[in-house]
Amino acid sequence: MMRHATFRQLEIFETIARLGSFTRASEALFLTQPTVSMQVRKLSDAVGLPLYEQIGKRIHLTDAGIELARTAREIIDALERMDMSVAKMRGLQKGRLRLAVVTTAKYFAPMLLGEFSRNHPGITLSLKVTNRERVLERVAENLDDLYILSEPLGQHDLVARSFMENPLVVLAPPGHPLARRKQVTLDLLAAEPFLMREPGSGTRLAVEELFAEHGLKLNVRMELGSNEAIKQAILAGLGISVLSRHVLVDGKGRGDPVILQVQGFPIMRHWHVAYPQGKQLSVVAQLFLEFLLAAAEKSNAASGAAVSSLAGKARPPVTKVRS
Ligand code: PGA
């Protein structure tokens, strides 16, 4: 019976589920592998069903295992929230903030975390940077406190607040023949060798949507899994691409690609800070959310401050998104 399971067993199992391996879980928890295996066996007995299958070195959770990992996560989260609330009652600001952001957000998220951390030194931070598809998987698995991504519409049951513009621009190497044109048509762009982000990227999705709307097909020369790699490939003359303006140092920095003036561009996306509907935010997550929105607001007013090009106040502050 589940009542016989211990908190430690649940914590061990949640770590295995999250890291996908007994070895990594035992390292993370500073336990020996036999201890981890024994505790999981006891837990499996308490549930009365197998919790995982092992194929090669990989662990695959069974349906019971997935359900148990989710429950364990909820229990651990609830206790962490309790810890943070108690710390707050004592006048302390302690706790942990787990943030997962899409790749382009890495250009501004560390700066925001730096400022937040200076104001709240007692808070430990973790930042996961990955593509849109993987961020949405993490939302479904409830792995983090808050998420930063563009246009979460129609994806999941999310509460999302828009806080900054994310313009996608067409980038070419300096001196590219199209750089002299005042207005480049989409057909002309479609003929150029194009450097595309990997499947699962939100940037790629936006580009594909725009070209599909116009019945055009891109001439994809190469697929690359990182904004920085694409930027370097553009400079190396391998092709042009569409990336967030955030990848440029200041929009006119030396050694940066140049922005082409193309019909339909920039594709104006908006950064959102989001969390699953019904999720109870911890004291620390709430604090960061408020900090982020206040920083956006301040920068918006000052326009040109560190967090630049902020979303207009005309946008609705709260977007409830249902799939
Ligand atoms: P990506 O997401 O890093 O997955 O391309 C960026 C975005 O959604 O704008």
Side-chain angles (χ1 to χ4, degrees):
M1 268 206 307
M2 267 317 284
R3 258 183 296 151
H4 297 144
T6 65
F7 178 71
R8 189 61 170 156
Q9 287 164 357
L10 291 175
E11 192 178 41
I12 290 172
F13 188 68
E14 192 279 330
T15 312
I16 294 169
R18 187 160 34 82
L19 302 180
S21 117
F22 275 61
T23 316
R24 275 188 254 157
S26 40
E27 281 164 10
L29 295 168
F30 303 105
L31 294 171
T32 63
Q33 274 224 37
T35 308
V36 166
S37 303
M38 188 181 63
Q39 293 303 330
V40 174
R41 206 168 323 122
K42 284 188 182 166
L43 192 56
S44 183
D45 288 346
V47 176
L49 283 172
L51 300 175
Y52 67 92
E53 289 163 356
Q54 184 151 12
I55 300 165
K57 285 201 163 169
R58 270 309 288 174
I59 297 292
H60 295 270
L61 299 190
T62 60
D63 285 350
I66 292 172
E67 193 53 40
L68 183 62
R70 192 175 302 135
T71 307
R73 218 156 270 151
E74 280 169 15
I75 294 169
I76 295 167
D77 275 359
L79 288 175
E80 283 188 355
R81 280 200 305 275
M82 176 72 195
D83 270 346
M84 293 184 220
S85 303
V86 170
K88 191 179 174 201
M89 288 171 204
R90 288 204 188 113
L92 300 171
Q93 276 180 342
K94 272 172 65 177
R96 189 160 61 129
L97 176 71
R98 286 160 305 191
L99 192 63
V101 308
V102 295
T103 56
T104 317
K106 77 170 181 206
Y107 292 98
F108 59 84
M111 189 225 6
L112 286 168
L113 284 175
E115 193 179 334
F116 181 72
S117 165
R118 272 192 295 283
N119 296 342
H120 309 286
I123 293 172
T124 20
L125 306 167
S126 87
L127 175 66
K128 179 81 195 165
V129 182
T130 184
N131 74 17
R132 178 184 178 85
E133 191 172 84
R134 187 62 199 124
V135 164
L136 291 173
E137 281 167 15
R138 293 181 72 89
V139 171
E141 291 169 38
N142 191 24
L143 288 181
D144 311 277
D145 296 309
L146 291 170
Y147 302 86
I148 293 180
L149 71 168
S150 279
E151 311 306 323
L153 288 157
Q155 291 297 329
H156 274 263
D157 276 5
L158 282 178
V159 178
R161 296 190 67 166
S162 154
F163 68 93
M164 179 164 60
E165 285 179 351
N166 178 23
L168 302 188
V169 292
V170 183
L171 298 176
H176 191 282
L178 294 182
R180 284 194 298 273
R181 302 228 182 172
K182 287 225 168 64
Q183 175 78 283
V184 179
T185 61
L186 273 184
D187 315 33
L188 215 51
L189 197 71
E192 288 290 316
F194 195 87
L195 307 170
M196 187 63 117
R197 279 282 305 275
E198 77 288 359
S201 147
T203 310
R204 175 181 175 130
L205 210 66
V207 175
E208 285 178 340
E209 271 171 16
L210 179 76
F211 278 80
E213 264 170 36
H214 289 79
L216 290 169
K217 216 172 152 323
L218 279 159
N219 169 22
V220 178
R221 179 172 202 185
M222 208 198 254
E223 247 182 46
L224 295 100
S226 115
N227 292 327
E228 261 326 282
I230 292 187
K231 194 169 138 181
Q232 296 309 322
I234 296 171
L235 292 171
L238 286 166
I240 59 161
S241 189
V242 172
L243 293 177
S244 166
R245 200 165 61 201
H246 289 291
V247 309
L248 302 179
V249 180
D250 61 5
K252 46 186 173 336
R254 276 201 295 168
D256 263 347
V258 295
I259 299 177
L260 301 186
Q261 303 306 319
V262 182
Q263 162 202 4
F265 281 88
I267 302 174
M268 193 50 84
R269 289 158 73 76
H270 291 85
W271 290 117
H272 288 71
V273 55
Y275 54 91
Q277 250 185 71
K279 183 175 175 80
Q280 269 189 288
L281 292 186
S282 68
V283 171
V284 169
Q286 189 64 43
L287 206 61
F288 184 73
L289 186 73
E290 282 160 18
F291 161 82
L292 182 62
L293 297 174
E297 201 50 33
K298 200 165 87 194
S299 184
N300 199 16
S303 101
V307 185
S308 58
S309 64
L310 287 160
K313 283 181 193 143
R315 285 186 62 78
V318 179
T319 329
K320 278 210 167 173
V321 185
R322 287 193 178 82
S323 51

